[in-house]
Amino acid sequence: MKDNAREFIIKNLRQALVTSNKEVVPPPPMTAHTQHFRLKHDDDIVFNFVKQYMLCGGTLDYGTNNAEVAEILNKWIIANKIDTVECGTSSLVQYIQNLGLQAKNITTIKGNSQYGIVLCEALVAWDGSIVITSDCFEGNEKILMPKNIVLVAFSSQVARDFKTYTNQKGKDAQQPKQIQILYPENLNHKKTQMLLIEDQN
């Protein structure tokens, strides 16, 4: 699916879910015969992640360039009257600073953060879950989740299923100290926002 077509469909799906009167329900639990479920080869995994995440009540924004990403994050900053934004890593701090956001201070997460932005490790298309690891937090061997958070991910980070992610991660020399899977049906969506950024991978 072309990027602009995918963006159009995702934005329309988001609007449909926002205006729908249907009750939000979690996806069915995985049973023994579905635990090795795979999406079809031609399924759009980014679109499938968005659908599964938002069907569980998740709030998701989709950006295709830096201007859109800045607009989305500035709305979050202004709505919450945020002075200091803490980011998971110094490279994410640099990326956010280059966007020219309206927060007075942008720094790395040191401990219990009130407002933070964290780059996800991976997104799982099958069930809309989000993989966070200790690697998402610079200089820490544990996961430090802010109370109010924007979870940032790029479209190239979407994996078909958790096994696909673990197979890829298994090729890496170093494994993270901690791994946490965030299931959308268990998140506090009033304090959690998902920002998915289109990239060229």
Side-chain angles (χ1 to χ4, degrees):
M1 185 183 292
K2 299 293 185 182
D3 290 346
N4 58 350
R6 178 160 61 198
E7 178 191 359
F8 175 80
I9 291 172
I10 288 174
K11 285 185 176 179
N12 278 275
L13 173 61
R14 182 173 66 229
Q15 182 61 34
L17 289 170
V18 166
T19 58
S20 173
N21 291 324
K22 292 183 179 178
E23 193 175 324
V24 174
V25 294
M30 295 180 71
T31 58
H33 67 278
T34 62
Q35 63 182 346
H36 299 298
F37 176 85
R38 299 290 182 272
L39 298 176
K40 294 179 182 177
H41 177 70
D42 59 350
D43 280 349
D44 188 296
I45 60 174
V46 174
F47 176 75
N48 203 80
F49 168 81
V50 172
K51 179 176 69 174
Q52 296 301 328
Y53 181 78
M54 296 190 70
L55 281 173
C56 293
T59 301
L60 185 144
D61 286 294
Y62 189 80
T64 59
N65 55 54
N66 285 345
E68 289 184 358
V69 171
E71 181 181 0
I72 291 164
L73 291 176
N74 272 324
K75 283 182 180 178
W76 175 68
I77 289 168
I78 293 168
N80 292 284
K81 300 178 181 177
I82 301 169
D83 287 329
T84 299
V85 174
E86 296 184 50
C87 301
T89 63
S90 57
S91 58
L92 185 56
V93 168
Q94 185 65 52
Y95 172 74
I96 298 300
Q97 286 176 334
N98 290 339
L99 295 175
L101 298 188
Q102 296 186 24
K104 292 179 182 177
N105 301 299
I106 302 175
T107 184
T108 54
I109 295 172
K110 301 294 190 298
N112 293 329
S113 173
Q114 184 67 29
Y115 295 98
I117 302 173
V118 174
L119 180 65
C120 304
E121 179 76 21
L123 307 177
V124 180
W126 155 232
D127 60 0
S129 61
I130 300 162
V131 181
I132 301 290
T133 73
S134 49
D135 290 347
C136 301
F137 303 88
E138 189 169 281
N140 289 286
E141 294 186 353
K142 59 183 180 179
I143 294 169
L144 304 169
M145 295 294 283
K147 294 178 182 177
N148 301 273
I149 188 168
V150 176
L151 296 167
V152 177
F154 291 88
S155 57
S156 60
Q157 292 179 281
V158 181
R160 289 185 174 274
D161 44 56
F162 189 73
K163 186 175 182 180
T164 302
Y165 157 72
T166 54
N167 285 346
Q168 181 61 43
K169 193 65 180 174
K171 298 176 183 178
D172 297 340
Q174 277 193 321
Q175 297 296 316
K177 299 289 184 181
Q178 290 186 355
I179 297 177
Q180 182 176 353
I181 303 174
L182 307 177
Y183 293 99
E185 62 269 29
N186 297 329
L187 290 174
N188 181 346
H189 294 297
K190 290 183 179 179
K191 295 187 175 184
T192 305
Q193 183 173 328
M194 183 78 222
L195 172 54
L196 183 58
I197 304 172
E198 182 70 48
D199 59 16
Q200 301 304 313
N201 297 333

